[in-house]
Amino acid sequence: MSDLGSEELEEEGENDLGEYEGERNELGERHGNGKARLPNGDTYEGHYEFGKRNGQGVYKFKNGARYIGEYVKNKKHGQGTFIYPDGSRYEGEWADDQRHGHGVYYYINNDTYTGDWFNHQRHGQGTYFYAETGSKYVGSWVNGQQEGAAELIHLNHRYQGKFLNKNPVGPGKYVFDIGCEQHGEYRLTDVERGEEEEEEETLVSIVPKWKALKITELALWTPTLSEEQPPAEGPGQEEALGAAGTGDASDETQGLPEGFEGEMDMRTGEEDMDTFRQESQENGYDMDQGNANFDEEQSDLQE
């Protein structure tokens, strides 16, 4: 989804005065509260200082978009809400006419992004929520793209690892609600996309492929007891220690459901992995076809 709602909108400059009704200072400059109708059809109602929009105000574009928030010297700066022509909106911090700081973007398909912004782009730590599936990406962003350490959370499992150029890369793990973790890594693989003519070179796309390495039980946290309160002796201690991950490697898969024993590849946890693939495809995270989500928005943002 695009963060721009449509084309980025420009407000009239300080020299495009138009009609004005309101307070002025001794020099005749717009100063205090006032209303203005600008030559391009936009309107502004709010506070002025020394002839410029400054303080709280409402700017309405002739195409229906509007900004409600703070200004500093004719530029959106501080807290404000921008409602775009397509109905999407941004609520948060602004700096020098750019989304900058912390804010929430509400998309027309009910997706949301909540987190850090830098120069109009998602940048820093943030959460993107996919309304259609209930999944969400929680982690690092760089220049509008999912990049760095993150967690991709689905309804019955999650993936924890690193992302680069919107794709998962390197070591990571899937954590399943049924009580196990699948450790592995994503490796980049060349996938042929076909060729239109024999003379043309075959188009190749680099996509991540998951390589499962091992299955373990969920790592359980147990509190450390003080010396004044030594653990009571009795049955059940060995089971507790085993659950805490102190057993040997041969005990790692004990208690796991059928389907998680034997060779560790994408056949393990087949039902959950099929569900994951389906959800991932809906989110643009098809690990077999590559991540195509956000491509359109990135081109909009870079424009």
Side-chain angles (χ1 to χ4, degrees):
M1 296 296 296
S2 169
D3 293 329
L4 301 181
S6 68
E7 59 181 314
E8 192 59 20
L9 305 170
E10 295 291 337
E11 300 180 14
E12 289 286 77
E14 56 185 292
N15 296 324
D16 302 311
L17 299 178
E19 301 175 2
Y20 175 74
E21 177 184 346
E23 301 175 320
R24 296 180 182 271
N25 59 15
E26 296 178 354
L27 299 176
E29 299 172 317
R30 301 176 181 185
H31 194 85
N33 293 319
K35 299 179 182 179
R37 178 176 294 277
L38 304 171
N40 67 349
D42 296 348
T43 62
Y44 173 78
E45 181 174 356
H47 198 266
Y48 285 87
E49 285 189 9
F50 303 106
K52 297 181 179 181
R53 295 185 293 274
N54 205 89
Q56 195 71 24
V58 178
Y59 192 105
K60 295 182 179 180
F61 296 83
K62 61 182 178 181
N63 65 358
R66 62 187 183 275
Y67 171 78
I68 306 101
E70 298 176 293
Y71 280 90
V72 173
K73 296 181 178 180
N74 269 358
K75 294 187 176 182
K76 297 182 285 292
H77 195 97
Q79 290 290 329
T81 297
F82 200 112
I83 302 173
Y84 293 89
D86 65 358
S88 62
R89 75 183 189 277
Y90 170 80
E91 299 178 0
E93 296 179 293
W94 295 79
D96 197 25
D97 264 347
Q98 305 286 304
R99 295 186 293 269
H100 191 95
H102 188 274
V104 183
Y105 200 108
Y106 299 87
Y107 298 88
I108 57 175
N109 65 350
N110 293 321
D111 288 1
T112 60
Y113 171 80
T114 305
D116 298 329
W117 296 80
F118 183 84
N119 287 341
H120 236 36
Q121 299 188 54
R122 297 184 292 266
H123 188 94
Q125 294 296 309
T127 298
Y128 192 102
F129 173 74
Y130 300 88
E132 184 177 359
T133 63
S135 301
K136 58 184 176 180
Y137 171 96
V138 182
S140 180
W141 297 75
V142 177
N143 296 326
Q145 293 191 1
Q146 300 168 350
E147 187 167 317
E151 186 173 36
L152 187 59
I153 303 173
H154 299 284
L155 297 180
N156 60 355
H157 67 281
R158 63 188 63 197
Y159 173 76
Q160 299 171 346
K162 289 186 177 181
F163 288 73
L164 179 65
N165 294 328
K166 304 173 293 181
N167 290 320
V169 294
K173 66 178 179 179
Y174 285 98
V175 181
F176 296 92
D177 292 352
I178 58 176
C180 67
E181 299 177 349
Q182 185 183 69
H183 299 254
E185 63 179 329
Y186 273 101
R187 301 172 180 175
L188 297 180
T189 304
D190 293 347
V191 176
E192 294 185 0
R193 299 174 58 186
E195 52 183 324
E196 296 180 358
E197 298 180 3
E198 294 181 359
E199 293 79 8
E200 296 183 359
E201 294 183 1
T202 302
L203 298 177
V204 176
S205 177
I206 306 299
V207 298
K209 287 285 188 179
W210 174 250
K211 174 64 176 178
L213 300 178
K214 66 176 180 177
I215 298 291
T216 65
E217 295 184 65
L218 288 177
L220 301 179
W221 176 82
T222 54
T224 302
L225 299 177
S226 62
E227 294 183 359
E228 291 76 9
Q229 296 177 332
E233 295 183 0
Q237 283 187 319
E238 292 184 1
E239 290 82 355
L241 290 174
T246 58
D248 57 31
S250 62
D251 295 330
E252 282 186 338
T253 57
Q254 286 187 1
L256 294 181
E258 258 186 75
F260 286 93
E261 298 178 356
E263 184 178 349
M264 303 307 175
D265 56 18
M266 291 305 290
R267 293 191 297 273
T268 60
E270 185 176 0
E271 181 178 350
D272 282 318
M273 294 308 295
D274 288 343
T275 303
F276 166 72
R277 288 177 179 276
Q278 180 180 355
E279 294 173 350
S280 299
Q281 290 171 357
E282 294 172 352
N283 293 331
Y285 280 98
D286 188 342
M287 300 314 174
D288 294 325
Q289 299 297 328
N291 186 339
N293 198 24
F294 297 118
D295 288 345
E296 178 181 353
E297 61 178 283
Q298 301 309 318
S299 60
D300 290 338
L301 288 172
Q302 292 170 1
E303 290 176 2

